Amino acid sequence: MDIEMVERAYRRYARGYDRYFGAVLEPGRRALVERMRCGAGERILEVGVGTGLSLPLHPPETEVVGIDISLEMLERAQCRVAREKLTQVAGLARMDGARMAFADDSFDKVVAMYVVSVAPDPVRLIDEMRRVCRPGGELFIVNHFLHEFPPVAFLERAAAPLSRHVGFHPNICLHSLIADTRLDVIERTRVNAFGLWTLLRARREPAAASPPAG
Ligand SMILES: C[S@@+](CC[C@H](N)C(=O)[O-])C[C@H]1O[C@@H](n2cnc3c(N)ncnc32)[C@H](O)[C@@H]1O
C-alpha cells in the first residue's frame, strides 16, 4: 500500500464515511479527547483528521490543526468547521503525516485517530508525530492492533492480504510497533465495541538538560 492508494481509497470512502464509521468509532474519539485534558491555548495537531468527526470534541479554548492526505475527506472537514462554527480549528491542510512540513516541536499534543492501520508506513508516521511534538508534550493514538488472543490473531493475519485492498492493515502488532518507534507509552486503554481498539497515551521525552556552562 502506498500513499496514492490511500488517497484513492478515501476518495471513494469520503461520501459514506460518517455513516459507516461515525457512531461506531465515536467512543474511542471521545475517550481520547478526554484523556488529552487540554488547557487553554494548547496547540493540537490531528494527523489523518478525515471528515473532522473529532473536531467538535476539542475545547473551544484550544488551537487545533488538522492534516490529511485526502482532499475529499478534508473538504468534508472544512464544511463541518463552517457549519458548526468550530473556532478552535486554526487550520486544515493536505499533507502526508509521514512527511510533515511543520517545524520540530510545533505542537503540545499530537493525535492520530484510526490512522496507524491505514498509513503506508506507520513507523515513519509515528516518528514524524514525535518530531513535531514539543519535548514534554504528548502523543495520542487510537487504533486496532493485532489481537492478543492467538485464534483471533490468526484470523486477522489471514485476512491481511484481502484487507490491503480496502486500505487497512488488521495485523499491526502493538509490541513491535512500540519497539520500532521507541514510543514511551504511559497509558493503554481498550475502547469501542468489545474493547477491540486500543487507546495509547505516550510521552514525548523532555529536552535533555544542557551541561552547566564553563
Ligand atoms: C480511518 S480514517 C480516520 C479519520 C478520522 N481520524 C476519524 O476519527 O474518523 C483515516 C484517515 O487517515 C488519512 N491518512 C492515512 N494515511 C495518511 C497519511 N500518511 N498522512 C495523512 N493522512 C493519512 C486518510 O486519508 C483518512 O482520512
Side-chain angles (χ1 to χ4, degrees):
M1 202 163 71
D2 57 31
I3 199 73
E4 286 79 23
M5 284 176 71
V6 175
E7 265 191 282
R8 274 202 299 278
Y10 283 91
R11 191 173 302 145
R12 288 200 307 273
Y13 301 154
R15 184 197 284 257
Y17 186 86
D18 291 4
R19 193 165 48 248
Y20 296 115
F21 300 107
V24 74
L25 299 179
E26 188 64 3
R29 293 187 192 98
R30 286 187 180 275
L32 187 150
V33 175
E34 272 165 30
R35 290 294 188 302
M36 289 174 77
R37 293 190 190 89
C38 281
E42 281 201 311
R43 272 179 61 76
I44 299 157
L45 172 66
E46 271 222 28
V47 177
V49 67
T51 61
L53 285 162
S54 56
L55 292 175
L57 305 176
H58 293 289
E61 64 276 13
T62 56
E63 201 179 301
V64 184
V65 173
I67 65 153
D68 202 286
I69 200 64
S70 163
L71 270 182
E72 288 76 9
M73 295 290 273
L74 279 173
E75 276 165 16
R76 284 174 161 75
Q78 195 65 67
C79 289
R80 188 185 309 277
V81 170
R83 194 173 59 239
E84 299 186 27
K85 300 186 175 56
L86 301 177
T87 53
Q88 66 271 51
V89 179
L92 295 171
R94 182 175 173 276
M95 203 184 290
D96 181 354
R99 289 173 186 74
M100 291 194 258
F102 304 115
D104 295 356
D105 314 339
S106 293
F107 297 93
D108 298 296
K109 287 171 182 158
V110 183
V111 177
M113 303 195 201
Y114 312 112
V115 182
V116 169
S117 41
V118 302
D121 187 343
V123 172
R124 182 145 185 193
L125 183 95
I126 292 173
D127 284 348
E128 271 292 271
M129 288 174 66
R130 183 197 281 111
R131 180 184 69 76
V132 301
C133 184
R134 69 165 168 79
E138 288 183 323
L139 310 180
F140 293 83
I141 292 171
V142 64
N143 206 71
H144 171 81
F145 296 103
L146 193 65
H147 208 280
E148 280 157 8
F149 185 50
V152 180
F154 174 80
L155 291 176
E156 289 177 340
R157 282 203 177 94
L162 193 68
S163 314
R164 221 166 281 138
H165 293 291
V166 291
F168 172 71
H169 309 283
N171 59 338
I172 295 182
C173 168
L174 178 56
H175 297 295
S176 312
L177 188 73
I178 290 175
D180 291 346
T181 55
R182 302 171 326 281
L183 257 188
D184 182 8
V185 175
I186 48 179
E187 196 178 334
R188 189 176 147 181
T189 318
R190 295 199 166 280
V191 291
N192 292 337
F194 310 110
L196 282 177
W197 281 259
T198 303
L199 165 49
L200 299 174
R201 180 157 77 101
R203 202 169 49 127
R204 160 78 153 93
E205 56 284 352
S210 44

